[in-house]
Amino acid sequence: RRLARAHFQAGQFEQSLSIYDALLAEGITADDSVHVARGDALSRLDRTQQAIDAYSQVRRTAAVGPRAARLAADLRFATGD
């Protein structure tokens, strides 16, 4: 996850997304924070619907649940949904 964050911070969103996808494929969600981080990368790549879908994968009971719900709502608002 550190490598994915480093790529994200460097503006290398495709590389960051690839790492997050690999983590999820291995079943690593880190209490759903990987879904949120993946959504952030997708959002930066202007892949809005995919970002909303990623945020929607977060369980409402997860610690990051409220943040994910807000981020999804912000994207829906920005796109007029």
Side-chain angles (χ1 to χ4, degrees), residues 23-63:
L23 290 170
L24 289 171
E26 293 178 22
I28 300 168
T29 63
D31 293 326
D32 292 331
S33 64
V34 175
H35 289 294
V36 174
R38 184 175 181 273
D40 293 344
L42 288 162
S43 179
R44 293 292 182 105
L45 292 166
D46 292 323
R47 292 163 61 179
T48 305
Q49 186 56 54
Q50 289 176 297
I52 292 169
D53 293 343
Y55 295 138
S56 298
Q57 294 295 314
V58 176
R59 294 169 287 137
R60 301 217 186 283
T61 57

Side-chain angles (χ1 to χ4, degrees), residues 1-30 33-39 41-42 45 47:
R1 289 186 354 188
R2 286 186 211 163
L3 182 58
R5 279 191 294 249
H7 281 297
F8 185 90
Q9 291 171 343
Q12 300 166 341
F13 306 117
E14 284 288 349
Q15 293 90 334
S16 178
L17 179 60
S18 293
I19 294 167
Y20 288 127
D21 286 342
L23 290 170
L24 289 171
E26 293 178 22
I28 300 168
T29 63
S33 64
V34 175
H35 289 294
V36 174
R38 184 175 181 273
L42 288 162
L45 292 166
R47 292 163 61 179

